[in-house]
Amino acid sequence: MASTFSDERNKEEYSFIYGDEAVSYEVLRKPIKQGKKRSITIKVQPSCDVTVSTPEDAELDDIHQAVMKRAKWIYDALKEFRGHLEYVQPKHYVSGEMQFYLGRRYVLKVVEDADALPTVKMTRGKLLVTLTRFNDDKTAMVKALVRNWYKVRAERIFHERLSELLPQATWVDGIPSFRVLPMSKQWGSCSAKGNLMLNPHLIKAPKECIDYVILHELCHIAEHNHSDKFWRLLTSVMPHWKEVKSKLDGMAELYLNE
């Protein structure tokens, strides 16, 4: 059993190796309340996110030791929750269902307003869908509005991330074109001509997962298969890609679920 630490964009995110898997976890530091016991609490969410709550002054070594003591429990919990995700039910696009955006959960709320135009917007932890009126096509209308909302957001965010990441991809000449196209089993692809295709469902994942997919496809412009040279190239621009891939794979069933 080994461990690796990474700190991405000032977020306290680390990982440890259990078997052949890199398990990522996020450290949440909290102020110590007077009279409260100083302790480290580990939670594995049904979404397969692992969070470690600690006193704000906890040492990294102490946090790491606490995590490693429960490494098998964490791994077993992740395995169980991933098994549950395999049986995710199709969405019905009704109020109360869960939606995701950039790694965060939002509760879908569908409302009727005869004086409003059909819209989708995020507000107070909810994805609010407004319909002019409810009818027999309500589900189809909500689904179409939500899918289009995701597509528009995906095109904008993917363009921003591609622009941000391109300076790292020194082997790429110019700005590659990309299309946003739904795919059932792939997050992205790269054509022989270097054109990228990205799955709009990827917008549901954290930005680091989006970055991983974009960098993965950019590496294919230089290396068209998954050779050792390809993986070395990917590692050179994203050393912790295995952790990020593991996080994305763990949520794939939920992100791709329609």
Side-chain angles (χ1 to χ4, degrees), residues 111-119 121 129-134:
V111 299
E112 182 181 22
D113 186 344
D115 298 323
L117 294 173
T119 58
K121 66 178 181 179
V129 178
T130 302
L131 299 179
T132 304
R133 61 188 177 86
F134 291 168

Side-chain angles (χ1 to χ4, degrees), residues 31-101:
I32 304 169
K33 295 182 179 180
Q34 190 171 6
K36 292 288 185 178
K37 183 179 178 182
R38 295 163 55 93
S39 62
I40 295 175
T41 304
I42 302 172
K43 292 183 180 180
V44 180
Q45 308 291 346
S47 62
C48 293
D49 293 325
V50 181
T51 57
V52 183
S53 299
T54 74
E56 59 185 352
D57 60 349
E59 297 291 336
L60 287 180
D61 284 346
D62 293 334
I63 297 171
H64 180 58
Q65 288 179 20
V67 170
M68 295 309 292
K69 284 181 181 178
R70 304 202 70 188
K72 185 179 186 302
W73 173 82
I74 294 170
Y75 181 84
D76 290 342
L78 286 172
K79 187 176 180 180
E80 180 181 354
F81 284 133
R82 285 170 184 163
H84 295 166
L85 293 179
E86 292 178 4
Y87 302 98
V88 175
Q89 297 297 314
K91 292 187 180 300
H92 299 287
Y93 292 90
V94 295
S95 293
E97 284 188 335
M98 197 67 65
Q99 295 287 341
F100 294 86
Y101 178 66

Side-chain angles (χ1 to χ4, degrees), residues 136-147:
D136 292 340
D137 295 329
K138 176 184 174 184
T139 298
M141 291 173 65
V142 174
K143 182 175 181 178
L145 284 169
V146 170
R147 288 188 70 175

